[in-house]
Amino acid sequence: MRIRLEKKNRVSTDFVEIEVDKEILNVREGKLKKNGGPKWGKHCGTIENAIIEANKIKQEFLDKKYFEVKSKQIPSDFNGVYDKAKWHFRGEFPDELDIFQGYVHTGFYLTWIIENGIFDTNGDDHLSIEISKVKRKELTGAEFFEENLDGVLMDDDLTELGNEFSYYYYQKGKFLDDYSKILGTNLPTLYHIQDNWENYEKFKPILDKRFKRWEKSKKPKWWKLN
């Protein structure tokens, strides 16, 4: 059971995520496009008690003018893995390149995910520190991907919102097409794209655009609200 609630302010959006995992209740609050606070968990004894407690917390936030965000279910045939660097070390991967180049495309996407606050540290303090390094541009997303995720991007690494968008855009959408169009022109392969902040800044606007368009498509039109 997962519940996501949001409240739009003049310049930001607050959110709370409530999750029941068997008898454990997990709650996380934060602001969209910023890191949320760490999850806090509570052992409720039984799953029934956890659900009751989750619904109580949900109502508290509804009373504070939050609204529930209904998520689209990710199809059951998705195995939870968005990408693995090792998938790219065979086949068309150029012999002359360092295998680190297989981390770069996912690294750019991870940087954007981190900047927008939809990476889920699951309460891991070390990951929180490493995320801060990415935000300060002391560590690239590709380096973060290699050093902290072992080159595997999974659904557990993302918030619910992050998973919805990533399934739509990264897994089933136009990510690689956009990546190629923006950064891969006149290069022998996409693996030749260099991992640097200049390339990321070139790519970032299209990610922002895709997210805004996707987010807008989810919202009901004003004439359908009643």
Side-chain angles (χ1 to χ4, degrees):
M1 175 182 177
R2 286 185 179 183
I3 301 169
R4 182 181 174 89
L5 302 131
E6 295 182 358
K7 182 173 74 171
K8 295 187 181 300
N9 305 308
R10 187 177 295 275
V11 295
S12 64
T13 298
D14 297 328
F15 73 85
V16 59
E17 293 175 343
I18 307 166
E19 180 181 17
V20 173
D21 182 9
K22 297 181 180 178
E23 67 276 10
I24 305 299
L25 173 68
N26 293 306
V27 180
R28 187 171 74 123
E29 297 179 58
K31 290 185 180 293
L32 196 62
K33 297 190 177 182
K34 294 183 179 180
N35 271 356
K39 284 184 180 178
W40 60 265
K42 179 180 179 181
H43 196 293
C44 299
T46 66
I47 187 171
E48 290 80 10
N49 288 340
I51 291 172
I52 291 170
E53 189 69 23
N55 285 322
K56 285 182 181 178
I57 294 172
K58 171 185 172 180
Q59 188 59 52
E60 289 174 5
F61 279 93
L62 289 173
D63 292 343
K64 296 176 184 177
K65 308 302 182 185
Y66 281 70
F67 62 92
E68 186 171 2
V69 178
K70 297 292 186 180
S71 64
K72 297 177 181 177
Q73 295 298 315
I74 293 176
S76 59
D77 61 352
F78 176 53
N79 67 3
V81 179
Y82 289 107
D83 212 341
K84 290 185 179 183
K86 72 177 184 179
W87 288 346
H88 304 277
F89 301 158
R90 57 180 91 105
E92 298 180 357
F93 191 83
D95 293 335
E96 72 273 13
L97 295 181
D98 189 288
I99 62 171
F100 179 75
Q101 291 302 117
Y103 293 82
V104 175
H105 65 289
T106 310
F108 283 148
Y109 185 67
L110 260 174
T111 301
W112 183 87
I113 287 289
I114 287 169
E115 287 187 346
N116 283 271
I118 51 180
F119 185 89
D120 193 343
T121 65
N122 293 295
D124 188 316
D125 291 338
H126 174 72
L127 281 181
S128 296
I129 292 170
E130 295 294 283
I131 280 174
S132 296
K133 291 179 183 178
V134 175
K135 289 188 169 185
R136 294 194 301 267
K137 297 187 176 181
E138 297 172 0
L139 192 70
T140 70
E143 291 168 338
F144 177 89
F145 186 41
E146 180 185 35
E147 296 172 13
N148 296 287
L149 302 184
D150 295 323
V152 181
L153 178 61
M154 302 181 64
D155 56 356
D156 284 348
D157 300 317
L158 308 178
T159 65
E160 185 171 354
L161 181 65
N163 274 304
E164 284 188 44
F165 178 65
S166 295
Y167 185 81
Y168 162 81
Y169 178 61
Y170 192 93
Q171 183 73 13
K172 295 294 185 180
K174 297 181 178 295
F175 173 79
L176 282 179
D177 289 341
D178 289 341
Y179 185 70
S180 175
K181 181 178 180 181
I182 301 300
L183 298 176
T185 305
N186 300 322
L187 291 175
T189 72
L190 296 184
Y191 297 115
H192 286 78
I193 295 170
Q194 293 301 301
D195 180 39
N196 56 52
W197 290 105
E198 181 181 359
N199 276 335
Y200 172 70
E201 292 299 332
K202 289 179 183 177
F203 191 40
K204 178 180 176 180
I206 191 66
L207 297 175
D208 291 337
K209 178 181 177 181
R210 295 296 188 193
F211 181 77
K212 287 178 182 178
R213 184 175 295 175
W214 170 79
E215 192 175 35
K216 185 177 180 181
S217 73
K218 293 179 55 182
K219 295 178 180 177
K221 304 300 182 184
W222 63 268
W223 60 84
K224 295 182 179 179
L225 291 176
N226 295 322

